[in-house]
């Protein structure tokens, strides 16, 4: 499994123009939401993607799925460059890729029953109808731990955790290979979060799924990820297999994020040192020169204000973009 890459982004950039004027729109600035990301996801793995709100995680996930067409770069899915495909050619490929959202309330049509919600992708992508479709939906509801007798209910009649299960059933219906899980548990009660994580893990084994699992802090992705990538202002600043990242983090930003993760051992927890980052992250409209992190970094040197540090390898499966690593 390890070197079999399912989906790979090469030099992906997504810039949003900021315009002014109503009649003649002028571009006054550019938001560099994703700025030159190389990221390969291996078949059957969960890649955790972590970073502060606004750093570009959702945008990157949407570029993978071509829900956003990147400004530049390539996305290879099973060796086909999706960025070169037209919308018609993309349609069959889209069956292989799905997304699960943070709050399924926003993504599930409130006027549709659970059954209609789960059946919809099957109607679009397959010829399944009638009894066969009904049975398939009941099957899917069972797989995600919902009682098939709930098929006639509407989204508002479900709890948050159940709604997320419904979103998962819908995503699973057309047997995707790759799922972007965009903060799928951030809106849920802590007691429910572990259930959804466990469900996603079980489904991964059962259906050989590959996940890009987005979260804004490192505690959430620890359990589920095989590898973890840390993003800062549009760039990947560190990526490693899970244990290396949590034990031997190299980037000062990763270290700061890690220092915010509670440690289950009370003795160690008492002596945990928290690194408080100074200042706000700079705006993606006006990035600093050199390393994006340099205005908040405590170990920076002159070079950090001049040159963007490239991702370089520091261990077998461990890459860091820092001049000081
Ligand atoms: N459609 C859009 N138009 C303009 N700016 C956008 C759009 N989508 C996202 N952005 C901006 O891009 C940056 C990254 O956003 P996002 O990918 O949602 O970050 P995250 O998911 O990490 O919170 C933010 O500054 C956000 O305001
Ligand atoms: Mg987001």
């Amino acid at each position: 499994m390890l070197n079999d890459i399912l989906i790979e982004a090469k030099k992906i950039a997504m810039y949003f123009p900021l315009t002014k004027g109503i009649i003649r729109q002028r571009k006054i600035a550019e938001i560099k939401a994703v700025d030159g990301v190389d990221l390969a996801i291996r078949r059957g793995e969960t890649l955790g993607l972590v970073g502060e709100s606004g750093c570009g995680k959702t945008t990157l996930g949407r570029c993978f799925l071509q829900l956003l067409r990147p400004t530049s770069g390539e996305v290879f899915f099973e060796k086909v460059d999706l960025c070169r495909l037209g919308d018609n050619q993309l349609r069959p490929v889209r069956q292989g890729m799905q997304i699960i959202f943070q709050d399924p309330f926003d993504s599930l049509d409130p006027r549709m029953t659970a059954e209609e919600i789960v059946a919809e992708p099957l109607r679009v992508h397959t010829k399944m109808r009638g009894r066969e479709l009904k049975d398939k939906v009941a099957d899917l509801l069972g797989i995600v731990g919902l009682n098939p007798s709930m098929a006639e209910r509407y989204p508002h009649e479900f709890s948050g955790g159940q709604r997320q299960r419904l979103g998962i059933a819908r995503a699973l219906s057309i047997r995707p290979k790759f799922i972007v899980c965009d903060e799928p548990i951030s809106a849920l009660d802590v007691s429910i979060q572990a259930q959804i994580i466990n469900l996603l893990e079980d489904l991964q084994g059962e259906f050989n799924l590959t996940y890009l699992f987005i979260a804004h802090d490192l505690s959430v992705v620890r359990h589920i990820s095989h590898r973890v990538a840390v993003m800062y202002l549009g760039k990947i600043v560190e990526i490693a297999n899970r244990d290396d990242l949590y034990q031997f983090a190299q980037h000062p930003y990763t270290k700061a994020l890690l220092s915010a993760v509670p440690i289950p051992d009370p003795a160690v927890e008492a002596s945990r040192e928290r690194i408080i980052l100074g200042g706000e992250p700079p705006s993606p409209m006006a990035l600093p020169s050199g390393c994006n992190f340099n205005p908040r970094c405590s170990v920076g040197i002159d070079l950090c204000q001049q040159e963007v540090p490239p991702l370089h390898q520091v261990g077998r499966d461990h890459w860091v973009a820092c001049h000081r690593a």
Side-chain angles (χ1 to χ4, degrees):
M1 153 205 155
L2 271 185
N3 292 312
D4 182 9
I5 289 168
L6 177 70
I7 189 161
E8 178 168 20
K10 289 193 171 169
K11 304 247 166 321
I12 283 291
M14 185 74 224
Y15 298 167
F16 296 107
L18 202 70
T19 55
K20 198 175 176 179
I22 296 168
I23 296 172
R24 185 173 297 153
Q25 291 216 328
R26 285 172 300 121
K27 191 166 100 177
I28 52 165
E30 215 162 36
I31 300 172
K32 297 186 170 178
V34 173
D35 196 14
V37 166
D38 289 307
L39 192 58
I41 308 179
R42 299 161 186 165
R43 203 181 289 273
E45 87 167 333
T46 299
L47 180 73
L49 179 65
V50 170
E52 283 162 299
S53 172
C55 72
K57 306 177 296 293
T58 295
T59 304
L60 179 58
R62 292 181 154 261
C63 286
F64 267 114
L65 302 178
Q66 299 293 302
L67 295 171
L68 280 170
R69 295 294 211 145
T71 311
S72 60
E74 298 162 310
V75 175
F76 291 93
F77 181 64
E78 300 193 304
K79 312 227 164 24
V80 179
D81 181 4
L82 304 184
C83 300
R84 286 171 184 272
L85 301 184
D87 289 344
N88 283 335
Q89 294 165 300
L90 258 183
R91 201 162 297 133
V93 181
R94 283 231 163 89
Q95 272 196 60
M97 314 190 293
Q98 288 293 308
I99 183 164
I100 300 169
F101 299 93
Q102 171 171 352
D103 187 354
F105 221 22
D106 294 337
S107 58
L108 304 177
D109 188 331
R111 294 157 306 179
M112 284 165 80
T113 63
E115 178 170 71
E116 289 164 342
I117 286 168
V118 178
E120 190 181 48
L122 289 164
R123 284 185 191 282
V124 173
H125 288 286
T126 73
K127 295 203 162 63
M128 230 180 261
R129 298 291 181 271
R131 187 78 248 165
E132 194 194 1
L133 183 60
K134 229 180 161 56
D135 288 347
K136 175 79 185 172
V137 169
D139 229 25
L140 283 159
L141 292 176
I143 287 172
V144 299
L146 291 173
N147 192 325
S149 69
M150 297 170 164
E152 299 306 318
R153 293 194 194 169
Y154 291 88
H156 72 268
E157 299 176 81
F158 289 94
S159 69
Q162 288 173 331
R163 263 200 304 275
Q164 194 52 284
R165 288 174 192 270
L166 196 57
I168 295 171
R170 178 182 159 96
L172 273 186
S173 64
I174 46 175
R175 298 299 302 269
K177 296 174 180 165
F178 175 59
I179 302 183
V180 172
C181 308
D182 192 355
E183 306 210 25
I185 61 169
S186 304
L188 301 177
D189 290 343
V190 178
S191 58
I192 309 292
Q193 291 184 347
Q195 294 175 12
I196 297 294
I197 293 267
N198 289 340
L199 172 65
L200 288 169
E201 273 192 317
D202 291 347
L203 295 172
Q204 178 167 53
E206 197 168 337
F207 299 104
N208 191 26
L209 298 168
T210 302
Y211 293 141
L212 176 67
F213 193 104
I214 298 174
H216 55 254
D217 75 67
L218 275 165
S219 57
V220 168
V221 294
R222 178 164 201 159
H223 180 70
I224 196 171
S225 304
H226 300 103
R227 286 190 302 150
V228 176
V230 177
M231 197 167 177
Y232 188 77
L233 280 180
K235 289 189 159 64
I236 303 289
V237 296
E238 182 157 14
I239 177 165
N241 63 52
R242 187 231 343 239
D243 293 342
D244 275 354
L245 192 101
Y246 287 85
Q247 282 170 42
F248 309 114
Q250 304 261 328
H251 198 285
Y253 181 61
T254 312
K255 289 180 188 170
L257 288 182
L258 273 176
S259 80
V261 176
I263 302 165
D265 179 339
V268 188
E269 170 66 15
S271 64
R272 174 162 66 98
E273 203 181 324
R274 293 208 53 173
I275 305 170
I276 309 286
L277 283 178
E280 290 282 303
S283 151
M285 269 180 292
L287 295 171
S289 65
C291 173
N292 281 343
F293 189 61
N294 86 67
R296 297 167 90 188
C297 186
S298 58
V299 297
I301 51 176
D302 286 350
L303 179 64
C304 304
Q305 291 168 28
Q306 291 148 16
E307 271 178 40
V308 178
L311 262 183
H312 60 274
Q313 195 164 12
V314 293
R316 196 175 60 81
D317 211 0
H318 192 163
W319 297 71
V320 184
C322 175
H323 291 304
R324 301 298 314 276

